[in-house]
Amino acid sequence: MMLLVELYVILISLILGSFFNVVAIRLLKKESIVFPPSNCPYCKHKLSVLDLVPVFSYVFLKGKCRYCKTKISPLYPFGELLTATSIFIVYKFVGLQLELIPALLLTVLLVISVITDIRKQLILDVVTLPMLGLLIISRLFIGTEPFWYYLLGGVVGFALLLLIAIVSRGGMGGGDVKLYAAIGVALGPWMTVMSLVLASFVGTFIGVLLMVTGVIKRKQPIAFGPFIFVGTIVAYLFGYDIWNWYISMLQG
């Protein structure tokens, strides 16, 4: 029975991932996410059901449009797999309890932010602000801490990123600042700080690696959204375990 539930979660997550791709792409273009129906971005041919099966259509069609044979961006299956993987992991660790609601809201926000950030280095207010509102509402009723604790997390997340944006003189965008306000409401102040530390560590490591291998040049901007995603998910699921391990190391 549990295996069937898990397969169902993966299937639904893959379908959601396909939808999140559409949301990200169309919002970046300031288009409706409802109309017109899905079509090839190159030849504009309407896609059939067989063209829209998450991941499998991309593999079956060998990464090309069925109609015009133009190569399809691998970001499409990436978004689908990222959604399915992250939702499944969060579901497995959180379980079927009320906390799953803010956990999934946060995960969806992070996934869409990663897709838009990779594509255009933008984190969209039209996604972040409604999700921030939903997270605030969810924390009114759900959480192990009082409501003010999560609001404080939002203030801390916003203030930290705003300070970084000011000091870096544009190195951090306004989208990141508002995203961290939402992250703060989901995580609370301490885990928000940890998520930023982890994101910065991973981002620095990957950035240096990309420069050493010649993939990017020095001072060339890269999307920070994927590192925020990693830092936040790790902090949300394992933050207190990491903190306890760190304290035990300091104590000998």
Side-chain angles (χ1 to χ4, degrees):
M1 185 64 183
M2 284 303 299
L3 178 60
L4 288 176
V5 172
E6 290 175 356
L7 289 173
Y8 179 76
V9 170
I10 293 171
L11 176 61
I12 294 299
S13 300
L14 284 169
I15 295 171
L16 285 174
S18 181
F19 174 66
F20 294 157
N21 274 328
V22 173
V23 170
I25 293 168
R26 294 198 178 185
L27 288 180
L28 284 170
K29 294 180 178 179
K30 298 183 179 180
E31 297 176 349
S32 168
I33 64 174
V34 178
F35 183 84
S38 295
N39 56 74
C40 172
Y42 304 102
C43 67
K44 304 303 179 182
H45 195 289
K46 181 180 176 181
L47 301 181
S48 69
V49 174
L50 293 177
D51 301 316
L52 296 171
V53 180
V55 180
F56 297 103
S57 288
Y58 183 87
V59 174
F60 178 75
L61 296 172
K62 299 178 180 179
K64 296 180 181 179
C65 171
R66 180 195 300 271
Y67 310 99
C68 67
K69 307 304 179 184
T70 304
K71 284 189 175 182
I72 302 169
S73 170
L75 288 177
Y76 285 95
F78 168 78
E80 294 161 354
L81 289 171
L82 178 67
T83 303
T85 303
S86 54
I87 288 180
F88 181 74
I89 289 173
V90 167
Y91 160 74
K92 286 293 288 183
F93 277 91
V94 176
L96 289 174
Q97 53 180 316
L98 286 176
E99 179 60 26
L100 190 60
I101 295 173
L104 289 179
L105 288 173
L106 176 65
T107 304
V108 168
L109 171 59
L110 290 171
V111 166
I112 296 176
S113 297
V114 167
I115 296 172
T116 59
D117 206 22
I118 290 177
R119 285 183 175 274
K120 295 292 183 179
Q121 293 194 3
L122 289 172
I123 294 177
L124 303 177
D125 290 351
V126 71
V127 176
T128 303
L129 296 181
M131 296 301 282
L132 171 59
L134 290 174
L135 281 166
I136 290 173
I137 293 171
S138 72
R139 283 307 187 199
L140 270 169
F141 309 101
I142 304 168
T144 57
E145 304 293 340
F147 179 59
W148 64 262
Y149 180 84
Y150 297 106
L151 286 183
L152 178 60
V155 172
V156 169
F158 182 86
L160 280 175
L161 268 289
L162 180 61
L163 179 62
I164 293 172
I166 293 171
V167 171
S168 64
R169 297 182 181 181
M172 191 72 66
D176 300 273
V177 176
K178 281 162 267 190
L179 175 60
Y180 250 97
I183 291 170
V185 171
L187 270 59
W190 300 119
M191 290 304 104
T192 297
V193 173
M194 178 175 287
S195 77
L196 181 57
V197 171
L198 291 172
S200 301
F201 177 80
V202 175
T204 300
F205 176 78
I206 297 297
V208 170
L209 184 63
L210 291 176
M211 283 191 290
V212 170
T213 55
V215 176
I216 63 172
K217 298 178 181 179
R218 184 178 174 83
K219 295 186 178 181
Q220 179 180 339
I222 59 174
F224 193 54
F227 310 127
I228 293 176
F229 172 90
V230 173
T232 301
I233 293 295
V234 171
Y236 179 78
L237 296 178
F238 310 110
Y240 288 104
D241 293 330
I242 294 172
W243 178 252
N244 291 333
W245 170 80
Y246 178 71
I247 294 299
S248 67
M249 291 288 288
L250 292 179
Q251 292 175 345

